[in-house]
Every structure is written in C-alpha cells, then in structure tokens.
Amino acid sequence: MTKLVIQIPCLNEGDSLASTIARLPRSIDGVDTIELLIIDDGSSDDTVAVAKSCGVDHIISHRRNRGLAQAFRTGVAAALDAGADIIVNTDADGQYEGQDIVALVKPIIAHDADIVIGDRGVANNEHFGPVKRRLQRLGSYVVRRLSRTDVTDAVSGFRAFSRSAAQQLNITTDFSYTTDMLIQAGRKRLAITSVPVRTNATERPSRLFNSIPRFIINTGITIARAYTTHNPLRVFFFGGALIALVGLTPMIRFLYFFISGQGDGHIQSLVIGGALLILGTLIAILGILADLVAANRKLIEASLNEIRILKEKIDADAPRKSGDSSAQAHDKAD
C-alpha cells in the first residue's frame, strides 16, 4: 500500500486553513491512503481548532515559533513515523492549487523522480511583481548552477519527495529549507524534476521575511552555507589558491625590481605578497581538512539512515511480536 502524507506548516493560519484543506485531493491513482499533517509552529490563533474541525489526521505543535525550516523538519519526521511513502509539502495560505498535488506526485509514483518541485512559472506569474519575478529567476539560476540540477523554481515550497529521499535529507538551515534541500539533493545525485503548478493570489504578507533585502541576505547566506557544507574542498581550496595567486603578483613585481638592481625600495611588495601567499596556503589546507570533515559527515548521514531503517523494522515487528505474545499467554491460560 502507498501512503501519501500532505504536510502543512502553519503559523496563525486559522483564517485560510479550512479553505486550503478543502481544495486538497482525497484520492489519487496509485495512492491507497492520503493523510493530512498540520505542523502548528507556535500559532496564537485558532489554527489547531480549525485543523481538528477539518478532520486532520495528525497535528504536531511547537510551544513557540521555531521558523519554517524547523517546522519542515518536524513535519518530515512525523510523516516518516506515520509510515509515509510519499510526502508533499504545501502552504496553508492557499497560494498553491491543492489539486495539483496529483501532478506533483505522479513522477514519484512512476519511480521517475525522488523529488518533484512545483514550478510556479515565475517569469509569467501574474501574482508576482516585476521585482520579485527577477529575484526569483536570479535565485533559481544560482541554485541551479550550484546544485547541478534543472530546477526552474528553486524556492517553491510546493514539493513532493519519496520516503527514501526524505530519509537522506538533513536540513541544517534555520531560515528556509528550499535551497538547502536542493543543493543537498543535487550533491547526493537524487533524481529531481519540476512540474508546472497553478498559484492563487494571497492577501497576507509573507511571514518568512519582512523585506526583500532581508530575504536576499538570508537566502544568500543559506545558499553559501549549504554549498560550502557539501563542497568544502572546492570552496576553500580554490579560494585559497586565488588569494595565493594574488599574492604572487607583488612578489613577481619585487623580483623584477630586485633583478634590475632596484629591490631596496620595493620591499613592501615582498611583505604583502608573502603574507597573501601564506594566507592562501592556509586556507587551501583548511579546505582539505574541511573535506575530511565532509567525508565523516557522509558516514554519519549513512549511519543515521541505517538507524532509521532499523527503527522502522523494529516498529513494524513490534505489533506482530506483541500479538504472538498475547496468543501464547492465552494458550497458557487455557
């Protein structure tokens, strides 16, 4: 049996949650069970009460707001514990058309993809302003290059992923999981594809960021951190090599004047060049050490994945063993 869990992170979404849930599909070809999971990220309104009235299957609550990335992590862990074979993440504000989940999960059901991103058609989306369109396209281009994927809408939160992909991803950012997830997935060579999805206009402003400059800064930091985490040797080694190369320039300049018999007045070039050369070499060495740490990280992630699989097997065997024990006890009582 194939189980789909649709997770919806919520922060004070009591006004829009019911209509969002009403538009979600109740049956999909190739899926036997569909369950809804609400992650209440410290809401102060009636979000939980609305979720209960809508018959949501699972509700997880944070006592205080922890941010979208943590809500996403909580949701994925809960969905895996619930036995999800496919997990879909969507927003509670109704931005995404719920029925497009059918198209979103289709490549995963067909075993053609591990992760599917809902492409909002940013370039021509009438719900986005001109500045947002350009920024989204630029951000998607950068993430596409760094992750070596062909995703056209990198920051879309409307996405589906298989159980196996969810088990392999470990989100470390505190801001937004979208770009971190793609860079990780690309590094781990997971099969990623995009499908076009529809969007609706939303009345309330984004709760992820207060201004566009802040969003750009936080997203840039997230991208740089994620890329450096998974490609440390490339970042540090080539960065150090570049600094060392810059340091060679004044040193060559000093050697030129020294050979010409005019080296006494250019000793500062030797000092600056030598300092940059040493700094570049140290940074390159840090890159080698960071790459060794990254290799250790891979082993830890593989171990975590094996532990998750082992835990699932133990949990699956527990009811059966419990039933066998009950039967034995009953036989003895007779």
Side-chain angles (χ1 to χ4, degrees):
M1 292 183 64
T2 301
K3 177 186 284 189
L4 165 64
V5 173
I6 303 173
Q7 67 173 42
I8 309 176
C10 296
L11 174 60
N12 297 328
E13 302 288 3
D15 294 336
S16 59
L17 183 57
S19 60
T20 298
I21 292 175
R23 291 199 295 266
L24 298 177
R26 300 302 177 184
S27 64
I28 299 175
D29 290 341
V31 175
D32 300 294
T33 307
I34 299 177
E35 295 182 357
L36 303 183
L37 167 64
I38 297 297
I39 307 99
D40 168 33
D41 192 26
S43 298
S44 57
D45 66 352
D46 60 346
T47 293
V48 173
V50 172
K52 290 180 179 178
S53 67
C54 293
V56 170
D57 301 279
H58 311 279
I59 300 176
I60 307 293
S61 293
H62 292 162
R63 283 188 288 271
R64 59 173 296 181
N65 177 253
R66 298 185 185 178
L68 180 59
Q70 181 57 53
F72 177 81
R73 286 194 293 265
T74 298
V76 171
L80 290 174
D81 287 342
D85 298 296
I86 304 173
I87 303 172
V88 167
N89 186 87
T90 187
D91 289 351
D93 59 3
Q95 175 186 172
Y96 304 111
E97 184 58 51
Q99 289 299 320
D100 286 342
I101 290 176
V102 177
L104 207 62
V105 302
K106 186 176 180 180
I108 297 178
I109 294 173
H111 302 288
D112 292 331
D114 300 306
I115 300 174
V116 183
I117 310 297
D119 182 0
R120 297 169 292 178
V122 175
N124 302 307
N125 195 309
E126 61 182 4
H127 301 130
F128 293 170
V131 175
K132 186 174 181 179
R133 290 178 185 175
R134 290 186 177 89
L135 289 175
Q136 296 279 27
R137 293 175 66 184
L138 176 61
S140 295
Y141 172 78
V142 172
V143 174
R144 189 162 58 247
R145 295 283 295 179
L146 295 180
S147 63
R148 295 181 180 180
T149 61
D150 193 25
V151 175
T152 51
D153 190 1
V155 296
S156 170
F158 196 31
R159 53 186 63 192
F161 37 100
S162 66
R163 183 179 187 86
S164 175
Q167 291 172 329
Q168 295 181 58
L169 297 172
N170 297 286
I171 305 301
T172 57
T173 179
D174 291 326
F175 178 61
S176 176
Y177 62 89
T178 53
T179 52
D180 186 2
M181 178 179 174
L182 283 177
I183 291 174
Q184 276 195 55
R187 177 70 173 176
K188 294 175 180 178
R189 299 179 183 270
L190 297 177
I192 309 171
T193 190
S194 298
V195 297
V197 296
R198 295 164 291 176
T199 59
N200 304 306
T202 55
E203 299 298 329
R204 69 161 177 78
S206 172
R207 295 196 176 107
L208 181 60
F209 58 93
N210 297 325
S211 64
I212 291 179
R214 182 178 177 184
F215 174 76
I216 294 173
I217 293 172
N218 288 337
T219 301
I221 292 173
T222 298
I223 292 173
R225 181 182 296 162
Y227 185 78
T228 302
T229 298
H230 297 282
N231 301 273
L233 182 60
R234 182 174 300 174
V235 172
F236 287 102
F237 186 83
F238 287 105
L242 180 62
I243 293 175
L245 184 63
V246 172
L248 285 175
T249 303
M251 293 187 71
I252 293 173
R253 179 176 181 271
F254 170 78
L255 288 174
Y256 171 78
F257 285 108
F258 180 79
I259 294 173
S260 301
Q262 306 175 38
D264 293 342
H266 301 280
I267 192 68
Q268 67 272 18
S269 295
L270 180 62
V271 174
I272 294 174
L276 290 175
L277 186 61
I278 293 172
L279 178 61
T281 302
L282 290 176
I283 292 176
I285 293 173
L286 284 176
I288 297 174
L289 295 176
D291 188 61
L292 295 175
V293 173
N296 189 53
R297 173 193 172 96
K298 292 179 182 179
L299 295 175
I300 293 173
E301 289 182 339
S303 298
L304 286 174
N305 195 26
E306 292 295 329
I307 291 172
R308 291 188 184 115
I309 295 172
L310 180 61
K311 179 179 178 295
E312 291 170 5
K313 291 180 179 179
I314 293 173
D315 291 342
D317 290 341
R320 184 176 57 190
K321 291 181 179 179
S322 176
D324 292 343
S325 299
S326 300
Q328 292 173 3
H330 179 72
D331 291 340
K332 289 179 181 179
D334 289 343

